Amino acid sequence: MKKEIPLQDVSLEKMFEKYEAKYKAVADKKRLHIMNILCRQGAMCVCDMVPLIGMPQSKLSYHLKILLDAEIIIKETRGTWSYYSLNQKEVDNLLSEELCCIFR
């Protein structure tokens, strides 16, 4: 007698993992502060953010990397400088019907 293996919706699992990473990235007061500054100021270099955030560049870069990995911010290289800006599309997705419809 063959035993049936239940199918698992892998696409739904992957979507949950994607949103988990994004929400973990924004579940930090310092990273929310960074996002707020980028929202108000637009694209900025790390060196310009340091005095506004009030933390050393190394710690700021750590937080930017987390936001970048979660696709919450975008990095653009201009010459030797990297500029960071808010990825408005991803922020909108976190607050949109796309996620809400999973639970309806």
Side-chain angles (χ1 to χ4, degrees), residues 3 8 23 30 33-34 37 71 74-75 77 86 101:
K3 187 176 182 181
Q8 182 178 8
Y23 280 111
K30 289 291 185 183
H33 189 195
I34 292 166
I37 287 172
E71 300 176 341
I74 300 167
K75 178 176 149 182
T77 303
L86 202 59
C101 71

Side-chain angles (χ1 to χ4, degrees), residues 2 11 13-14 17 20 22 33 44 70 81 86 92 95 99:
K2 287 187 176 182
S11 63
E13 185 68 25
K14 287 197 183 294
E17 289 172 6
E20 179 184 34
K22 291 181 187 302
H33 189 195
M44 294 184 76
W81 300 100
L86 202 59
D92 290 346
L95 306 171
L99 183 60

Side-chain angles (χ1 to χ4, degrees), residues 19-80:
Y19 278 103
E20 179 184 34
K22 291 181 187 302
Y23 280 111
K24 280 183 178 180
V26 298
D28 180 271
K29 185 169 46 172
K30 289 291 185 183
R31 291 192 283 273
L32 289 171
H33 189 195
I34 292 166
M35 291 171 61
N36 179 260
I37 287 172
L38 292 175
C39 181
R40 289 185 289 119
Q41 303 285 332
M44 294 184 76
C45 179
V46 176
C47 58
D48 294 329
M49 282 190 263
V50 167
L52 297 174
I53 300 292
M55 70 172 65
Q57 186 171 338
S58 60
K59 285 190 178 189
L60 178 56
S61 293
Y62 166 78
H63 288 290
L64 289 170
K65 173 84 168 98
I66 291 171
L67 291 169
L68 193 61
D69 288 346
E71 300 176 341
I72 302 297
I73 62 173
I74 300 167
K75 178 176 149 182
E76 179 187 346
T77 303
R78 301 178 195 163
T80 57

Side-chain angles (χ1 to χ4, degrees), residues 4-15:
E4 285 189 34
I5 301 172
L7 295 175
Q8 182 178 8
D9 188 349
V10 177
S11 63
L12 192 58
E13 185 68 25
K14 287 197 183 294
M15 184 182 287

